[in-house]
Amino acid sequence: MKMINLFGKILFICIVMCSQATYAQDPSGQAAALQNVPSGKVVMAWYSAWVNKDWNSLTQTVADGFTFSSPLDDHISLSAVKERCWPNAALIKKFDVVS
């Protein structure tokens, strides 16, 4: 009887630990948490504009004098982003933002 009790406790602990690990890795939970931070709202708006292929929304997201940097481009203007990067928006289906 004690062995069954011990097994039940171990099983319960494993289930609790697995559910915690799953919750911690849930990207939708991270995206929701990001919405509660002022800069997080800007990040989510930026990526949503790419997914929705909405250039006007993207331009409203950024500040005057905005520059974009990536491994291939260093501090390029918004017009350069439109020329070099925006054509690839057609290939984007979704983003998973991980914080």
Side-chain angles (χ1 to χ4, degrees):
M1 189 70 158
K2 289 183 182 182
M3 187 63 135
I4 294 173
N5 232 358
L6 178 63
F7 178 73
K9 288 179 182 179
I10 292 172
L11 182 61
F12 177 74
I13 291 171
C14 289
I15 291 170
V16 169
M17 290 174 68
C18 288
S19 67
Q20 292 293 330
T22 301
Y23 178 75
Q25 296 174 1
D26 179 22
S28 62
Q30 291 174 347
L34 198 57
Q35 286 289 342
N36 295 327
V37 180
S39 59
K41 291 178 182 180
V42 174
V43 170
M44 293 303 293
W46 169 268
Y47 286 110
S48 293
W50 285 90
V51 171
N52 297 326
K53 286 91 174 132
D54 185 357
W55 180 255
N56 290 330
S57 176
L58 184 120
T59 58
Q60 292 174 2
T61 302
V62 298
D64 292 336
F66 168 82
T67 60
F68 177 80
S69 293
S70 74
L72 300 176
D73 299 301
D74 191 29
H75 298 286
I76 61 174
S77 67
L78 193 57
S79 61
V81 170
K82 186 172 186 179
E83 178 186 320
R84 295 180 194 175
C85 308
W86 190 251
N88 295 316
L91 306 173
I92 298 171
K93 294 183 181 175
K94 75 174 195 165
F95 281 103
D96 289 328
V97 179
V98 179
S99 57

